[in-house]
Amino acid sequence: EPEVTQTPSHQVTQMGQEVILRCVPISNHLYFYWYRQILGQKVEFLVSFYNNEISEKSEIFDDQFSVERPDGSNFTLKIRSTKLEDSAMYFCASTPGLEAFFGQGTRLTVV
Amino acid sequence: ELKVEQNPLFLSMQEGKNYTIYCNYSTTSDRLYWYRQDPGKSLESLFVLLSNGAVKQEGRLMASLDTKARLSTLHITAAVHDLSATYFCAGLGGGADGLTFGKGTHLIIQP
């Protein structure tokens, strides 16, 4: 069964460093998303991406964040200068239109 | 702006019992989703509810939607230990692309 895959599964980085989280959405899906979940808290929407551009972004998605679809399969989330409060699980999701399928997540730990 | 509230946030119950998780939302929601999350894992889609009066069932779980009351319920029948997880409801609406999640219901089913 097709699935959304994310790499790495766990990333530890120093505060102020840049990180890139990678996602391979399901191949025939058109909409892509990033969400984050701070440990023990609810899942929060970051950004949606459609037709090679950002469709919507939340208040969390400030200038430190960017997304790209560098080729036909990958979808990346870049955090330019990480802060301690960026530590969270980051989920990528894709959908053909109705049901969203989530990846396994990348646990980002900023130290 | 769509707000989603779940209750209870924590539920401990015995195997064989029935219980209901409630999800209230603040404004018109185009769709209502239920997800399951096991510790440290991703979000598994359970149900997508599209219209008033929609009812969906899978095994011991049944979800319903009342758009007039802005309420969705997830009913668990004759609970078994394997259903222990955190259950999230999420709405899509208010013109937003991304899902708005509730805080989740942490469900523990004791043998």
Side-chain angles (χ1 to χ4, degrees):
Chain A
E1 186 175 325
E3 59 181 21
V4 177
T5 56
Q6 289 185 242
T7 54
S9 56
H10 190 189
Q11 172 125 21
V12 181
T13 189
Q14 287 199 327
M15 193 167 53
Q17 295 296 304
E18 174 183 288
V19 294
I20 297 176
L21 311 183
R22 302 179 194 280
C23 169
V24 179
I26 296 173
S27 63
N28 62 343
H29 288 187
L30 302 175
Y31 301 86
F32 314 123
Y33 306 84
W34 284 101
Y35 291 83
R36 80 172 184 190
Q37 184 181 30
I38 295 171
L39 185 64
Q41 298 188 26
K42 68 177 179 179
V43 180
E44 300 172 291
F45 167 71
L46 293 178
V47 65
S48 59
F49 194 85
Y50 171 72
N51 203 24
N52 288 322
E53 60 183 26
I54 290 175
S55 177
E56 185 191 356
K57 53 187 180 180
S58 72
E59 291 177 353
I60 303 168
F61 195 89
D62 61 22
D63 291 343
Q64 276 192 226
F65 293 89
S66 62
V67 288
E68 272 192 337
R69 193 149 190 247
D71 54 44
S73 59
N74 290 287
F75 179 50
T76 63
L77 174 69
K78 182 192 290 186
I79 309 174
R80 277 190 200 84
S81 177
T82 50
K83 300 177 283 198
L84 294 176
E85 53 265 39
D86 293 328
S87 295
M89 184 76 96
Y90 288 81
F91 291 106
C92 173
S94 69
T95 175
L98 178 61
E99 190 173 356
F101 295 84
F102 284 77
Q104 292 297 313
T106 293
R107 180 168 298 285
L108 176 66
T109 303
V110 182
V111 296
Chain B
E1 181 189 340
L2 178 64
K3 292 188 186 337
V4 177
E5 289 199 8
Q6 280 181 246
N7 70 85
L9 298 183
F10 182 80
L11 177 58
S12 178
M13 55 192 289
Q14 286 190 317
E15 278 192 326
K17 301 288 188 186
N18 303 333
Y19 211 82
T20 301
I21 300 170
Y22 298 89
C23 176
N24 291 91
Y25 53 96
S26 59
T27 64
T28 303
S29 180
D30 299 329
R31 304 168 195 169
L32 201 293
Y33 297 77
W34 285 95
Y35 285 91
R36 168 182 171 146
Q37 186 180 39
D38 292 297
K41 303 290 186 184
S42 186
L43 295 150
E44 175 191 352
S45 178
L46 295 174
F47 302 108
V48 183
L49 302 166
L50 299 178
S51 59
N52 188 43
V55 177
K56 291 196 174 180
Q57 182 160 7
E58 181 74 35
R60 299 174 190 274
L61 301 178
M62 183 174 72
S64 66
L65 179 63
D66 180 344
T67 57
K68 292 179 183 173
R70 294 180 184 159
L71 171 69
S72 180
T73 60
L74 180 67
H75 187 73
I76 303 153
T77 302
V80 293
H81 179 66
D82 287 352
L83 291 178
S84 298
T86 299
Y87 293 85
F88 290 95
C89 67
L92 182 70
D97 280 356
L99 295 174
T100 300
F101 282 79
K103 290 184 176 180
T105 297
H106 183 51
L107 175 64
I108 296 177
I109 299 169
Q110 318 253 13

